[in-house]
Amino acid sequence: VHLGSRAVLMGKTVVHYTLELAETTIGLRYDSAITGVPLSMTFEYKDQIKEKITNIEGGLIVKEYPTATVGSGHFRHLLNELSMKKNFSADIIYIDYINLCQSTRLKFGANVNSYSYIKAVAEELRGLAVEKNVPIVGATHLNLTGFTNSDPGREDTSESFALPATVDFMCALISTEEMEQLGQIMVKQLKNCYNDPTLHKRFVVGVDRAKMRLFNVE
């Protein structure tokens, strides 16, 4: 939501697919991140929020789908509809989250393991990004080993190592009890096809969960 809200404030058009939380929940988080009004107070200041977001040049579409019922084909259909009916062309797409997507090629079952299935999902989404010439940003979980590890690697990705093998850029968000008390989170680059992954390999950012924002700790 922080990344999406910054894009909207930069005048970009954002499409946010949610397969986990409700559209209204995501929408309120964007309201908070864009305006700086704490999430718990968005209803009290709804008139002020409406006034602030009315003048923003960027655009935002939040679309909710039931878990594990949609994939790249459904996402493509919505993008085409938005383009034809609303003249809305996405500059960046967010998917929350990749492991809840459905493959259009494989049907998950006894003959298809999680490695192959998530690999197919990742490849299809990457294909959609290339077709539409738009970056797609998604999330995944760490496995049990990575969840208890303060220095996770690509091998700690849940369900399928094919996911980090397919994507162009990947980072891990690391939080400890001490960092939570400081209101900070560590970002570790796991893969970077665009630049030297050892450059800023690890860095710390501040996190304001009440306003759904990240900030420079300096």
Side-chain angles (χ1 to χ4, degrees), residues 141-150 152-153 155-159:
H141 286 298
L142 296 172
N143 56 27
L144 183 59
T145 305
F147 191 74
T148 56
N149 187 357
S150 60
E155 68 279 2
D156 295 312
T157 306
S158 68
E159 294 191 84

Side-chain angles (χ1 to χ4, degrees), residues 46 59 63 75 111 115 133 139 148 152-153 160 185 187-188 192-193:
K46 60 182 180 181
K63 178 62 178 177
F75 301 148
N111 297 325
Y115 176 92
N133 191 29
T148 56
S160 179
I185 196 166
V187 182
K188 177 188 176 184
N192 190 339
C193 294

Side-chain angles (χ1 to χ4, degrees), residues 114-170:
S114 60
Y115 176 92
S116 301
Y117 194 77
I118 299 300
K119 181 176 186 292
V121 171
E123 289 174 345
E124 291 161 14
L125 292 176
R126 194 180 191 284
L128 177 62
V130 173
E131 176 191 333
K132 297 297 184 181
N133 191 29
V134 60
I136 294 180
V137 181
T140 188
H141 286 298
L142 296 172
N143 56 27
L144 183 59
T145 305
F147 191 74
T148 56
N149 187 357
S150 60
D151 189 28
R154 281 189 280 176
E155 68 279 2
D156 295 312
T157 306
S158 68
E159 294 191 84
S160 179
F161 185 74
L163 180 55
T166 304
V167 300
D168 295 320
F169 178 86
M170 187 174 188

Side-chain angles (χ1 to χ4, degrees), residues 100-119:
L100 297 181
C101 293
Q102 181 187 73
S103 170
T104 58
R105 294 178 295 168
L106 300 180
K107 185 175 182 181
F108 191 79
N111 297 325
V112 179
N113 56 38
S114 60
Y115 176 92
S116 301
Y117 194 77
I118 299 300
K119 181 176 186 292

Side-chain angles (χ1 to χ4, degrees), residues 16 18-29 62-65:
H16 187 125
T18 171
L19 287 79
E20 189 171 38
L21 299 176
E23 289 178 6
T24 51
T25 302
I26 298 295
L28 287 172
R29 292 184 176 191
V62 178
K63 178 62 178 177
E64 177 188 3
Y65 289 106

Side-chain angles (χ1 to χ4, degrees), residues 22-96:
E23 289 178 6
T24 51
T25 302
I26 298 295
L28 287 172
R29 292 184 176 191
Y30 269 96
D31 288 343
S32 180
I34 291 172
T35 64
V37 175
L39 192 60
S40 61
M41 301 175 68
T42 49
F43 285 106
E44 296 177 41
Y45 292 90
K46 60 182 180 181
D47 292 333
Q48 292 90 327
I49 290 174
K50 185 177 181 180
E51 183 179 347
K52 284 185 178 181
I53 64 177
T54 301
N55 300 320
I56 293 175
E57 293 183 7
L60 171 67
I61 295 288
V62 178
K63 178 62 178 177
E64 177 188 3
Y65 289 106
T67 300
T69 61
V70 294
S72 60
H74 301 85
F75 301 148
R76 180 182 292 104
H77 177 71
L78 178 63
L79 293 174
N80 292 339
E81 275 204 337
L82 290 173
S83 177
M84 289 186 297
K85 297 179 180 179
K86 294 189 177 183
N87 196 28
F88 187 101
S89 179
D91 290 314
I92 189 165
I93 297 169
Y94 293 91
I95 299 177
D96 188 19

